[in-house]
Amino acid sequence: MVLPGVYAPQEDTALLVGALSDESLPPGAAVLDVGTGTGALALAAALRGGRVTAVDVSWRAVWAARLNAARAGVRIRVRHGNLFTPVRGQRFDLVLANPPYVPAPAGGRRPRGAARAWDAGRDGRMVLDRICLEVPGLLRPGGVLLLVQSALSDPARTEALLREAGLKAAVTRRRRIAFGPVVRGRERWLRQHGLLSGAEHEEELVVVRAELPV
């Protein structure tokens, strides 16, 4: 169920679900799904036996995730809040993140409404940089972050920041997709600012996997 104004599962969600399927997730593993939207990733982890906490800044997303969990007959804890704020002091075996990552002409102005699910500042890293900075403190030894983003928002920087924080990080999945409505709507701006070349007519999505050493 997708409520109005809630980010609907798309190719990035499917790519992250595929990466999740590659992980060894023991029953009872503590899982965090940050920016849960409809709860699709949280439900996938719960069906694998994880003890899942899901967080979203949108109240509509919180209610959508709760409704979808009830319909699926699985238990997840859904919390309202900005990024990791509702789970301060907790540690997880796995963190899933499908954050906003599309560069936006509005620059540093914080997006509102549904755009909070995709707009991420002029370089697309408004939320990605925060995740790289804060996620090491949320992982148990051996814990894993699975994060999906666009090549438009510099996956190499994500890898570098996570490595600087002491994690082992690498891109593990890639998928090229047709431009969606958000990228199409700002294609000219992206090209003018060198974020898309004239030869590019598809967007590349990647999954970055990072692990905190034991």
Side-chain angles (χ1 to χ4, degrees):
M1 178 183 296
V2 182
L3 298 182
V6 177
Y7 184 76
Q10 297 182 43
E11 287 91 344
D12 50 5
T13 311
L15 193 62
L16 203 49
V17 169
L20 171 61
S21 70
D22 292 338
E23 295 294 322
S24 175
L25 193 65
V31 180
L32 173 65
D33 177 23
V34 62
T36 193
T38 62
L41 290 164
L43 295 181
L47 290 169
R48 292 274 309 277
R51 292 184 295 106
V52 182
T53 301
V55 174
D56 205 289
V57 71
S58 162
W59 272 112
R60 289 188 179 187
V62 168
W63 285 111
R66 288 173 177 169
L67 286 169
N68 286 324
R71 294 178 71 190
V74 298
R75 289 189 62 182
I76 61 174
R77 293 193 316 153
V78 188
R79 298 290 181 262
H80 176 257
N82 190 338
L83 207 58
F84 300 126
T85 302
V87 293
R88 294 286 183 220
Q90 299 179 45
R91 297 292 182 271
F92 298 90
D93 300 297
L94 177 65
V95 175
L96 303 167
N98 184 0
Y101 53 67
V102 181
R109 196 167 61 208
R110 292 205 170 273
R112 302 180 64 182
R116 290 182 297 182
W118 54 79
D119 280 357
R122 292 183 72 86
D123 61 0
R125 300 202 57 88
M126 182 182 292
V127 180
L128 286 167
D129 285 347
R130 286 185 59 196
I131 291 175
C132 293
L133 177 67
E134 298 179 33
V135 78
L138 288 149
L139 291 173
R140 293 173 176 169
V144 170
L145 165 71
L146 293 176
L147 177 149
V148 66
Q149 68 171 94
S150 171
L152 297 173
S153 46
D154 197 354
R157 176 172 170 80
T158 299
E159 292 178 86
L161 289 175
L162 290 167
R163 288 170 184 159
E164 288 174 13
L167 281 67
K168 297 182 289 185
V171 170
T172 57
R173 284 186 174 237
R174 299 178 183 270
R175 180 180 297 171
R176 299 195 69 83
I177 64 169
F179 292 156
V182 175
V183 173
R184 283 200 308 271
R186 61 191 63 165
E187 182 178 349
R188 182 178 178 182
W189 178 84
L190 290 167
R191 295 193 191 282
Q192 288 174 341
H193 287 77
L195 296 169
L196 274 175
S197 71
E200 288 182 284
H201 298 284
E202 291 181 314
E203 179 185 9
E204 184 179 45
L205 302 177
V206 305
V207 172
V208 177
R209 182 187 189 274
E211 181 175 346
L212 183 67
V214 177

